[in-house]
Amino acid sequence: MDRRGFLGTCSATATCLSAAAAVGLPAWAADARPRGYARALLVDERGEPLKAASLKPQANYVFNYPFVATPVFLLDLGKAAAPNTLSTEDRSSYS
């Protein structure tokens, strides 16, 4: 994806989200709660548990969790990711 396509996608997403916020949440979304899923053990091609030390820097790993159709990307950036402080709708902060 090039920069122009990325910016177009971001603009379209922002437009859709602001339109949805103006209309309000549907009844089924008003009671939405987080759902817990079972833990997963990541294994290599031999079936051995995957160790963090065995990950190659700058390599992408893909696995499916919690459903087969849900891809998840595991990235080893080769360095620690900087923490980021965010705030919730009621202005309480978390990292």
Side-chain angles (χ1 to χ4, degrees):
M1 177 179 278
D2 63 350
R3 184 180 300 170
R4 181 171 289 174
F6 177 73
L7 291 175
T9 302
C10 290
S11 298
T13 303
T15 302
C16 290
L17 288 175
S18 60
V23 172
L25 291 174
W28 58 266
D31 296 330
R33 301 275 182 258
R35 188 182 307 177
Y37 294 96
R39 295 179 69 172
L41 178 64
L42 299 179
V43 295
D44 61 14
E45 58 276 353
R46 295 181 309 272
E48 299 292 324
L50 190 62
K51 306 281 186 195
S54 67
L55 298 177
K56 297 175 190 167
Q58 306 296 321
N60 300 333
Y61 297 88
V62 181
F63 62 96
N64 299 318
Y65 182 81
F67 305 110
V68 174
T70 308
V72 177
F73 297 91
L74 177 63
L75 308 173
D76 182 0
L77 302 175
K79 61 181 180 177
N84 194 3
T85 302
L86 304 170
S87 62
T88 61
E89 189 174 297
D90 64 354
R91 306 239 188 267
S92 57
S93 63
Y94 67 98
S95 294

